[in-house]
DNA sequence: TAGATTGTTAATCGATTAACAATC
DNA sequence: TAGATTGTTAATCGATTAACAATC
């Protein structure tokens, strides 16, 4: 049996090989067997963007303190967040900006292009589509939009083709859509989510003020502008 | 001295009088001297909306379990959240839907109309403005929009007048703006925030992917769509 | 009264921050 | 080597959930 021949070095090697492996178990999504808190993922994306800016202005290396300061975060938090995924820094020196950014992008999965569909070409849908240039820089691309209004079908906005919502299922498969952004009128969100899930989508960005019922392997991120505004009201003097 | 004459009943009375008093101390914003976690405020707003729906469908009373289920929350959490602000339920019965909703609205400050300005009438700004009908139902009103583009000035969208951004300061004061939503292009956010703060605004909803520097008494809520999308990418298979 | 559900305390869980040996 | 900063463990802080006496 091969197992008997494995020496210390080989064990280390094989542990390197599984590096970067995401899997789902009873504790939710894990990375190399460790459960990653959701806030960590959000911050990872913030780090990537900040690093992009630093890189753009010619900064080549950066400490956890500098990166944290740029985002209003504690330096220990920066180091701890990164430590979930490996060792990326050099003691005494800090992190190499471009290298770290690349590593984070690869962890997030945005080192390749992530393909999005926007469902609902109302004002919010259009706002998303009009942001595509910014999004493209960060690694995701809106490749299709869907609407129920026949007058909008067939055209395009910002280079994004608009299809009829009836085509959602087959287009999701054909176009290899990764993420569906739901920006339809209130009440129509669940139906869209159902079709997306049917077609194999596992990540949904939901702007409709409704809770979506989805299987446990599907991740839904809620963005609820009315809730954001109302919460702010509490903090008024 | 009056204090010497205060009896037990009067002490109870006076503690009722301070009920609902918000103040700021070293620990941040407090309600009747207790520090309220931010997630609680978000959920309060969610409760209010759910209760509105229940009320609309004729439901008159509701248990913490039923309210929690509607939002995917634990019933203990519902009760604990409410307990920060007082005793609103009836043991054995639950909560009266309309009464609870009124109490929550009053805690949030959305029992009166909260006045919003949208700065930046791009696609996102327009999306916000086009939602005003929904927002109006929940207690806030977009009363003005601002843009730098002279061609947009003077007109209106959805009944909301569009002013030049140079008028921001005096309009905020004249129109008693409570909250400023910043939806300008990347790079212009801080300047808008500065003027808003100058004019006395204490709550900002920021859609620009930049950290805003504001005095500590000003609350900034960040909505960053690119970060939301990129975080979702991590959860793709 | 019996049953149900609150309000609240205690227990658990999770996330942030501090501290420091290891390392460049 | 001296100085700086990482990676990681332990301490703290905060938020959620369980449990249950009090109450309708």
């Amino acid at each position: 049996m091969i197992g008997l021949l494995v020496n210390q070095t080989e064990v280390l090697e094989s542990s390197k090989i599984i590096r970067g492996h995401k899997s789902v178990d009873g504790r939710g999504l894990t990375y190399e067997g460790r459960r990653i808190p959701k806030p960590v993922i959000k911050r990872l994306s913030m780090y990537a963007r900040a690093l992009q800016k630093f890189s753009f202005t010619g900064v080549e290396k950066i400490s956890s303190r500098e990166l944290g300061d740029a985002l209003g975060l504690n330096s220990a938090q920066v180091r701890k967040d990164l430590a979930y995924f490996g060792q990326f820094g050099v003691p005494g020196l800090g992190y190499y900006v471009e290298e770290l950014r690349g590593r984070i992008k690869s962890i997030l999965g945005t080192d390749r292009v992530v393909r999005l569909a926007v469902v609902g070409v109302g004002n919010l849908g259009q706002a998303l589509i009009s942001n595509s240039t910014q999004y493209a820089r960060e690694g995701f691309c809106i490749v299709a939009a869907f609407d129920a209004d026949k007058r909008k079908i067939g055209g395009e906005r910002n280079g994004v083709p608009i299809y009829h919502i009836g085509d959602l299922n087959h287009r999701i498969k054909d176009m290899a859509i990764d993420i569906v952004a739901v920006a339809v009128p209130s009440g129509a969100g669940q139906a869209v989510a159902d079709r997306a899930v049917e077609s194999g989508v596992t990540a949904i960005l939901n702007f409709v003020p409704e809770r979506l019922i989805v299987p446990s392997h599907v991740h839904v991120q809620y963005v609820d502008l009315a809730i954001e505004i109302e919460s702010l009201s509490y903090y008024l003097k």
Side-chain angles (χ1 to χ4, degrees), chain A:
Chain A
M1 279 171 67
I2 296 171
L4 294 173
L5 300 171
V6 170
N7 66 23
Q8 187 60 20
T9 319
E10 279 167 350
V11 168
L12 278 169
E13 281 308 307
S14 79
S15 89
K16 267 186 201 154
I17 291 161
I18 62 155
R19 167 139 304 167
H21 181 69
K22 290 180 205 168
S23 59
V24 183
D25 68 8
R27 297 165 304 161
L29 191 64
T30 58
Y31 193 93
E32 289 179 50
R34 265 169 300 186
R35 210 201 116 269
I36 313 294
K38 277 197 183 179
V40 171
I41 302 299
K42 280 265 162 72
R43 286 192 296 265
L44 237 42
S45 177
M46 294 166 64
Y47 299 151
R49 183 193 279 153
L51 289 166
Q52 191 177 25
K53 283 189 191 167
F54 279 112
S55 179
F56 187 77
T57 56
V59 178
E60 293 192 343
K61 54 190 180 52
I62 195 169
S63 68
S64 58
R65 171 164 304 279
E66 291 168 307
L67 184 52
D69 285 352
L71 295 164
L73 304 171
N74 187 296
S75 71
Q77 183 156 70
V78 173
R79 295 196 299 280
K80 186 132 218 295
D81 286 349
L82 298 175
Y84 280 104
F85 303 95
Q87 305 187 161
F88 308 129
V90 185
L93 251 93
Y95 304 85
Y96 289 101
V97 171
E98 259 311 310
E99 196 217 313
L100 182 57
R101 178 168 171 274
R103 301 282 212 121
I104 292 175
K105 281 289 181 181
S106 135
I107 292 161
L108 290 172
T110 46
D111 51 343
R112 56 134 196 151
V113 174
V114 169
R115 298 165 68 83
L116 257 100
V118 171
V119 184
V121 190
N123 286 281
L124 186 56
Q126 287 180 54
L128 289 167
I129 292 169
S130 71
N131 269 347
S132 11
T133 331
Q134 184 211 335
Y135 297 157
R137 273 198 305 272
E138 317 213 3
F140 21 94
C141 183
I142 299 175
V143 295
F146 297 86
D147 203 285
D149 184 345
K150 301 244 188 236
R151 285 167 303 178
K152 291 178 182 166
I153 311 303
E156 53 127 285
R157 290 266 198 299
N158 236 51
V160 177
I162 305 179
Y163 302 114
H164 190 261
I165 198 153
D167 296 341
L168 190 58
N169 289 52
H170 93 256
R171 292 275 181 203
I172 285 177
K173 291 172 192 159
D174 288 0
M175 302 182 81
I177 303 291
D178 298 301
I179 299 177
V180 168
V182 186
V184 296
S186 201
Q190 186 62 53
V192 172
D194 290 345
R195 281 139 155 283
V197 171
E198 259 169 51
S199 311
V201 165
T202 60
I204 294 176
L205 185 61
N206 178 36
F207 293 93
V208 185
E210 296 167 10
R211 202 160 81 91
L212 300 180
I213 315 288
V214 296
S216 64
H217 70 280
V218 178
H219 282 260
V220 180
Q221 182 59 245
Y222 292 84
V223 177
D224 193 322
L225 300 180
I227 299 285
E228 300 298 341
I229 298 172
E230 185 156 38
S231 311
L232 267 175
S233 306
Y234 175 79
Y235 298 101
L236 297 174
K237 274 195 304 283

